[in-house]
Amino acid sequence: MLLSALSAVLSLAGSAAAALTYKGVDWSSVPVEEKAGVSYKNVNGAAQSIEHIFRDSGVNTVRQRVWVNPSGGTYNLAYNINLAKRAKNAGLGVYIDFHFSDTWADPAHQAIPSGWPTAIDDLAWKLYNYTLDASNQFHDNGVQPTIISIGNEITGGLLWPTGGTSSWYNIARLLHSASAGIRDSRLNPKPKIMIHLDNGWNWDTQNWWYTNVLKQGPLVSSDFDMMGVSFYPFYTPSATLSALKSSLTNMANRWGKELVVAETDWPSSCPNPAYAFPSDAKNIPFNAAGQSQWIKAVANVVASVPKGKGLFYWEPAWIHNANLGSSCANSCMFSNSGQALSSLSVFHNI
């Protein structure tokens, strides 16, 4: 059993370059780190703007989370427009991840922004105007995002309680409105619109969710172009590479959308993991070489699937939050001093 798992992951990690369309990182917290005094350096130790470090390492697209009215302004629209301009000036594509909340939106949190209505008709109208206005503001500032996600990890719905899974119709209505605002904006060319769920390895979850939301009526297939998934190895041993491949293949065959791993990480240090790691990843070390091996393995899974388009590493430069939400000590791709690890160059090879 161990030998077959080892063979499988070596095959995935060592196969030919995946040649993904989107080779990306989430860099949402870079301005927070820079404000705290971090000066980023390339793998050779030379100070360099991080957008150019990413570009020179093979990254072609950066992901940014947008909160509505966050305390202090961090991650709000103005923050993201300024950050996106830096990406554009470095020749990087921009992927906007709307959380539709004033703070974190994820499977456990999807709070309606302060001051937004809760009645479904009013909330859908508010959401339409929010995505319309935000999209127009990016356009008017010279930024044309290549991807926009309408919600973040919305497996449990969005804009709770109105858009919870107790009303699949409301979820469908809200997503249609969010999409329509982007489609009606001045953005040109129009970005790919993504729906993003967690647990990309779990086909049962993906099938349950999309089957329920698409049969309601308001959300139609033409409202979105991409299905994004989160895929982390440190929360359950069930998150195997083989399960991811099976799930993505089923998604491609059933719905025919472009597919992206919108979030993934691998630890450079994990002395006391809270959960067992997946069986077909147990030979991957917890270091920079292991990060490269994991990213190649995931990239090759994505590339092997019909319409598999991209991979995004979540917050590799957030060195003051180095565990990145896991029980591992460090999953960043930069050292504590801000120097890029050797693993960052893996993006040249996917």
Side-chain angles (χ1 to χ4, degrees):
M1 184 70 174
L2 181 59
L3 183 60
S4 63
L6 177 61
S7 299
V9 75
L10 288 176
S11 174
L12 287 164
S15 58
L20 296 176
T21 302
Y22 305 101
K23 303 186 290 183
V25 296
D26 189 311
W27 74 327
S28 298
S29 296
V30 161
V32 175
E33 293 289 4
E34 292 172 335
K35 187 176 181 180
V38 173
S39 175
Y40 291 102
K41 307 167 191 70
N42 63 26
V43 71
N44 298 315
Q48 189 178 11
S49 65
I50 193 168
E51 53 265 43
H52 290 96
I53 295 173
F54 285 142
R55 184 197 64 191
D56 294 348
S57 300
V59 169
N60 64 17
T61 308
V62 288
R63 181 179 189 253
Q64 304 179 192
R65 64 177 165 272
V66 180
W67 294 354
V68 178
N69 290 305
S71 175
T74 301
Y75 312 124
N76 71 6
L77 188 58
Y79 173 105
N80 274 281
I81 287 171
N82 289 332
L83 188 57
K85 287 179 178 178
R86 291 175 55 178
K88 179 191 173 184
N89 290 338
L92 298 170
V94 176
Y95 157 16
I96 295 300
D97 176 29
F98 283 130
H99 278 223
F100 302 141
S101 190
D102 294 333
T103 184
W104 295 102
D106 55 41
H109 312 90
Q110 297 283 341
I112 289 179
S114 176
W116 282 30
T118 56
I120 183 58
D121 289 349
D122 296 335
L123 184 58
W125 180 239
K126 180 69 175 180
L127 186 57
Y128 168 84
N129 283 285
Y130 173 77
T131 58
L132 175 66
D133 176 67
S135 298
N136 284 338
Q137 288 198 49
F138 278 112
H139 172 272
D140 294 349
N141 281 276
V143 176
Q144 307 291 330
T146 52
I147 302 170
I148 295 182
S149 177
I150 48 175
N152 184 76
E153 294 186 330
I154 58 170
T155 314
L158 71 164
L159 295 162
W160 292 346
T162 309
T165 52
S166 60
S167 177
W168 288 100
Y169 176 87
N170 285 357
I171 296 174
R173 176 89 180 275
L174 292 167
L175 290 173
H176 173 77
S177 294
S179 172
I182 298 164
R183 300 279 201 225
D184 289 348
S185 75
R186 292 189 290 274
L187 288 174
N188 185 27
K190 296 297 187 231
K192 302 281 188 179
I193 295 178
M194 176 193 288
I195 292 176
H196 171 211
L197 308 183
D198 70 331
N199 290 341
W201 56 271
N202 191 329
W203 162 241
D204 287 343
T205 294
Q206 308 299 316
N207 187 38
W208 162 79
W209 196 92
Y210 282 105
T211 298
N212 275 301
V213 79
L214 287 170
K215 71 183 181 183
Q216 302 303 314
L219 183 71
V220 295
S221 182
S222 60
D223 284 334
F224 64 106
D225 311 288
M226 288 181 159
M227 293 176 170
V229 300
S230 296
F231 179 61
Y232 290 108
F234 33 56
Y235 297 123
T236 172
S238 299
T240 62
L241 291 159
S242 59
L244 177 68
K245 182 169 183 176
S246 177
S247 179
L248 293 180
T249 300
N250 288 339
M251 292 168 72
N253 290 340
R254 177 151 190 191
W255 296 293
K257 298 293 184 180
E258 295 183 5
L259 297 166
V260 170
V261 170
E263 297 182 20
T264 194
D265 283 330
W266 185 266
S268 60
S269 173
C270 196
N272 297 296
Y275 306 97
F277 273 63
S279 59
D280 58 4
K282 284 185 176 178
N283 71 305
I284 301 178
F286 298 147
N287 55 27
Q291 289 179 324
S292 295
Q293 192 175 345
W294 173 257
I295 291 168
K296 286 180 183 178
V298 177
N300 281 297
V301 167
V302 176
S304 73
V305 173
K307 296 193 175 182
K309 293 295 183 180
L311 173 153
F312 290 82
Y313 195 96
W314 194 72
E315 288 274 23
W318 200 1
I319 59 177
H320 284 97
N321 187 37
N323 63 10
L324 300 182
S326 75
S327 62
C328 294
N330 197 327
S331 293
C332 290
M333 301 179 81
F334 288 81
S335 71
N336 291 339
S337 66
Q339 182 170 343
L341 304 183
S342 60
S343 51
L344 194 61
S345 63
V346 72
F347 290 95
H348 282 302
N349 303 313
I350 64 173

